[in-house]
Amino acid sequence: QVRVVESGGGLVQAGGSLRLSCAASGFSGSAYDIGWYRQTPGKQRDMVARINSAGSTNYADSVKGRFTISRDNAKHTAYLQMNSLKPEDTAVYYCKVEWSNHDKWGQGTQVTVSP
């Protein structure tokens, strides 16, 4: 059974950095894509960054040049390195794993950026 667990959120001052982790268990290989999404109260959940099984990445315009997504297939873990954080990056960050017309969300981790 696939399980997705995020970690690494917290409180940071503007201009600071955080690294989020997304651990995906239940896979025997690396044939899955991983995405980071974020959501604030009353708004839709938006894609932040995504990395496919081949390692290709794409980013939301608002985070390009500041955030980097990566993955370690041996550990079945993806990371989101967030630098130069802004108050508007404050949100709950969710990880989604996609494979063979299935997907699984994690429970989310709160990121709060103070001015």
Side-chain angles (χ1 to χ4, degrees):
Q1 183 163 347
V2 173
R3 189 164 175 250
V4 179
V5 179
E6 303 100 333
S7 61
L11 173 64
V12 65
Q13 287 188 326
S17 298
L18 280 175
R19 188 175 83 153
L20 305 183
S21 297
C22 171
S25 59
F27 291 98
S28 58
S30 59
Y32 50 90
D33 302 341
I34 304 174
W36 283 100
Y37 296 74
R38 65 188 180 187
Q39 187 173 25
T40 54
K43 295 191 176 181
Q44 68 179 21
R45 192 172 295 184
D46 293 325
M47 191 276 290
V48 175
R50 197 167 175 274
I51 185 166
N52 68 14
S53 58
S56 295
T57 60
N58 61 296
Y59 297 90
D61 288 343
S62 59
V63 306
K64 282 180 181 176
R66 300 188 298 123
F67 291 11
T68 302
I69 188 171
S70 61
R71 62 190 289 168
D72 182 334
N73 290 332
K75 296 182 179 179
H76 296 289
T77 300
Y79 305 96
L80 184 68
Q81 178 66 42
M82 305 186 293
N83 299 328
S84 302
L85 282 161
K86 305 175 181 180
E88 51 264 44
D89 294 317
T90 295
V92 178
Y93 283 71
Y94 297 90
C95 178
K96 183 173 79 166
V97 177
E98 299 175 72
W99 76 101
S100 303
N101 296 319
H102 298 279
D103 61 57
K104 180 79 172 180
W105 290 92
Q107 81 288 350
T109 185
Q110 176 71 46
V111 171
T112 302
V113 184
S114 62

